[in-house]
Amino acid sequence: MDNTQIINKTIGFVKKTLKNTEGGHDWFHIQRVFKNAMLIAKDEKEASPLVVGLGALLHDIADSKFHDGDETIGPKIAKEFLESLAVQPDVIEQVVGIIKNISFKGGNFKQTYHSLELDIVQDADRLDAIGAIGIARCFNYGGFKNRKLYDPEIAPNLKMTKEEYKNSQSPTINHFYEKLLLLKDKMNTENGKKIAQMRHEYMTEYLEQFYAEIDGER
């Protein structure tokens, strides 16, 4: 099976597996991350397109948020699926490394695995968390979890532990300060940084409008 066939088989598997997933983490999220990752990879000549593609496609195959916080399910499913396609063991190892280390987790998570391919997929995933789409996904997930939209009595917590971040029930608007606005400075690649800057500026403009409407100024 050649690389194109492996990618196409993986696309079919991911579409089927995530068919009924929450809207911010569904196939269309995966598709955007895949496209972003392949775009960034064009400027990173040393990166393996196969590892980048598979890492992007499988990075949320079983997001721990939807599996009681269990972070072992995603890597396990990805490994078993890739083994069923007879993908090279070193490629599988790299893809599993990406899945285990891609998440933000409150910004206090220490990566145990490093690679150029992880940098690319991580940037691609973070780009989908900011800008216009990031705003839409943020409020979609807040609604899914039945969180408050906004509460001025609850301040953002910028020093959450990994566990506090995973279990947070803070208002959706707080998530901008606890994650989204922090991502611009956590990008790895030059192309990722350029795109993130534009999307970051869009979010700051949105927040300005949001608070102006809260205060009845616009």
Side-chain angles (χ1 to χ4, degrees):
M1 190 179 297
D2 64 26
N3 290 357
T4 299
Q5 290 174 312
I6 291 171
I7 290 293
N8 288 337
K9 288 277 189 183
T10 305
I11 288 172
F13 173 71
V14 174
K15 280 185 175 180
K16 182 178 179 181
T17 303
L18 301 184
K19 185 176 180 181
N20 298 312
T21 307
E22 177 267 334
H25 298 81
D26 59 6
W27 159 247
F28 298 105
H29 162 62
I30 302 300
Q31 185 180 55
R32 292 189 301 269
V33 172
F34 177 72
K35 289 179 178 178
N36 283 338
M38 301 317 290
L39 175 64
I40 294 171
K42 287 181 179 179
D43 291 335
E44 304 293 338
K45 305 302 183 184
E46 299 299 316
S48 162
L50 180 61
V51 173
V52 169
L54 291 175
L57 289 170
L58 293 166
H59 80 279
D60 265 349
I61 196 64
D63 192 309
S64 62
K65 289 192 290 293
F66 307 106
H67 292 85
D68 297 321
D70 191 337
E71 298 175 5
T72 67
I73 298 176
K76 181 175 182 292
I77 290 175
K79 183 174 185 291
E80 291 176 351
F81 170 72
L82 294 176
E83 286 175 342
S84 76
L85 299 184
V87 173
Q88 292 290 331
D90 65 312
V91 171
I92 296 176
E93 182 180 355
Q94 292 178 73
V95 172
V96 169
I98 289 171
I99 296 169
K100 287 182 176 180
N101 289 274
I102 191 173
S103 293
F104 178 73
K105 296 184 177 72
N108 298 312
F109 171 64
K110 194 167 186 179
Q111 288 181 193
T112 58
Y113 173 83
H114 299 275
S115 73
L116 176 57
E117 289 80 6
L118 169 59
D119 287 348
I120 292 169
V121 178
Q122 193 171 59
D123 277 7
D125 188 39
R126 288 174 173 176
L127 285 175
D128 206 54
I130 59 180
I133 289 173
I135 291 170
R137 291 181 66 216
C138 183
F139 285 109
N140 184 82
Y141 186 71
F144 177 78
K145 299 294 287 187
N146 197 32
R147 293 177 180 170
K148 290 182 178 181
L149 181 70
Y150 166 75
D151 187 338
E153 299 300 317
I154 303 176
N157 182 357
L158 303 181
K159 296 183 178 180
M160 283 188 284
T161 65
K162 176 182 168 183
E163 288 304 313
E164 287 174 331
Y165 179 79
K166 286 169 63 175
N167 297 314
S168 174
Q169 291 297 318
S170 64
T172 296
I173 204 68
N174 287 20
H175 195 58
F176 282 78
Y177 303 96
E178 294 166 351
K179 177 182 179 180
L180 308 191
L181 294 174
L182 305 179
L183 294 180
K184 173 179 68 69
D185 294 328
K186 294 182 177 292
M187 303 301 285
N188 304 299
T189 66
E190 288 306 311
N191 202 6
K193 290 175 182 177
K194 290 176 185 177
I195 300 171
Q197 180 63 43
M198 292 184 289
R199 297 191 183 194
H200 180 88
E201 290 171 2
Y202 183 90
M203 290 192 300
T204 60
E205 291 170 4
Y206 171 82
L207 287 171
E208 182 182 333
Q209 179 69 24
F210 180 91
Y211 291 117
E213 293 182 12
I214 289 287
D215 294 335
E217 296 175 354
R218 297 183 189 172

